Amino acid sequence: MAEPHIIINIGRQLGSGGRVIGRLLAEEFGCRFYDKELLNLAAKESGFSEQFFAQNDEHKRFFKTLFHLHDQHIGDNNFYTNNFSQESLFQFQADAIRKAASSGNCVFVGRCADYILRDHPEAINVFITADLNYRIDQVSKRHGCSTEAAQKIIHDKEGSRASYYNYYTGRKWGDCKLYDLCVNSTPLGLKGTTDFIAHYVRLRLKMQGKEVLK
């Protein structure tokens, strides 16, 4: 069988464990894992600092901080010579995603990777959800806050995430039609959900005449 090229794009609800599952899948298939790591790649490609990308990560409006940054956050050549627009930072990150996908097996978490790689024939798009009470509990533990505060964090951050995705893709974040597989991580837990997705990936590859030995 042919050697597979594995590209897995993970969309996720806050508190669903999508990032952990993505990292476990990367370990399972020997893929490079990209989440926050994409910020560093995009920074290197663009000449902007990683901090600049981090401040605007998965938020729709980039210019709110642009003119409040110190000089060291912006590469001198880029700011004055490039045709900078609100979409430029997204484009830098999109270019970094395409470059990473072309160079080997990858698991991407968020950042519109499913849209950016929509024409990639080997991309598998997965959306991970979870029961609300589970998500509230996870966010509450992570931030050391009350359930009410956790609910607000989920509402606010998911609002920003959806706005970012919808704005740059023209799609609706979380729409099941956009994904090959949508999974609720609550019944199986993080490890069980990872195993379930991994089984699906192997079946997909096998149907394409490819096989993962691990």
Side-chain angles (χ1 to χ4, degrees):
M1 288 188 173
E3 186 74 17
H5 184 189
I6 301 172
I7 303 293
I8 303 173
N9 302 315
I10 303 286
R12 76 288 186 212
Q13 287 187 308
L14 193 67
S16 66
R19 187 177 189 280
V20 174
I21 290 169
R23 188 173 288 281
L24 290 172
L25 285 169
E27 293 173 359
E28 176 72 18
F29 291 112
C31 298
R32 290 188 176 183
F33 176 77
Y34 294 100
D35 180 18
K36 299 291 186 184
E37 293 82 358
L38 282 169
L39 305 181
N40 184 48
L41 284 178
K44 288 180 179 177
E45 292 293 319
S46 66
F48 287 82
S49 74
E50 184 177 351
Q51 182 182 352
F52 182 59
F53 281 88
Q55 286 173 334
N56 297 282
D57 188 25
E58 289 192 311
H59 288 80
K60 182 177 123 179
R61 297 298 178 188
F62 288 125
F63 278 130
K64 66 181 180 180
T65 59
L66 177 61
F67 296 106
H68 298 286
L69 297 174
H70 296 296
D71 291 340
Q72 64 266 27
H73 292 172
I74 302 175
D76 293 337
N77 294 331
N78 285 287
F79 186 73
Y80 292 106
T81 63
N82 288 356
N83 182 22
F84 194 86
S85 68
Q86 183 177 322
E87 282 71 33
S88 292
L89 293 183
F90 175 80
Q91 191 58 54
F92 288 135
Q93 190 164 267
D95 290 343
I97 288 172
R98 294 189 191 97
K99 185 174 182 180
S102 68
S103 62
N105 298 335
C106 301
V107 174
F108 298 100
V109 175
R111 293 163 185 83
C112 305
D114 62 302
Y115 174 76
I116 293 163
L117 299 175
R118 63 194 179 279
D119 296 324
H120 198 297
E122 291 154 316
I124 297 175
N125 301 318
V126 180
F127 191 84
I128 299 172
T129 183
D131 295 349
L132 180 58
N133 287 339
Y134 174 84
R135 294 165 56 213
I136 290 172
D137 183 60
Q138 293 304 303
V139 172
S140 178
K141 289 177 180 176
R142 185 187 310 164
H143 292 275
C145 63
S146 66
T147 57
E148 291 78 10
Q151 282 182 295
K152 187 176 188 308
I153 290 171
I154 290 172
H155 179 270
D156 292 346
K157 289 194 174 183
E158 284 199 343
S160 295
R161 186 176 290 173
S163 178
Y164 176 93
Y165 184 91
N166 297 348
Y167 180 80
Y168 286 108
T169 69
R171 299 175 170 186
K172 183 179 180 181
W173 179 78
D175 185 348
C176 63
K177 296 189 296 294
L178 302 175
Y179 302 92
D180 300 298
L181 184 67
C182 296
V183 186
N184 185 330
S185 63
T186 309
L188 297 179
L190 301 185
K191 181 61 169 62
T193 302
T194 301
D195 292 341
F196 178 79
I197 297 171
H199 180 65
Y200 173 84
V201 171
R202 285 190 170 89
L203 286 176
R204 278 278 299 266
L205 293 172
K206 189 173 182 179
M207 291 180 68
Q208 296 170 3
K210 303 168 185 176
E211 188 172 8
V212 181
L213 297 178
K214 184 177 178 180

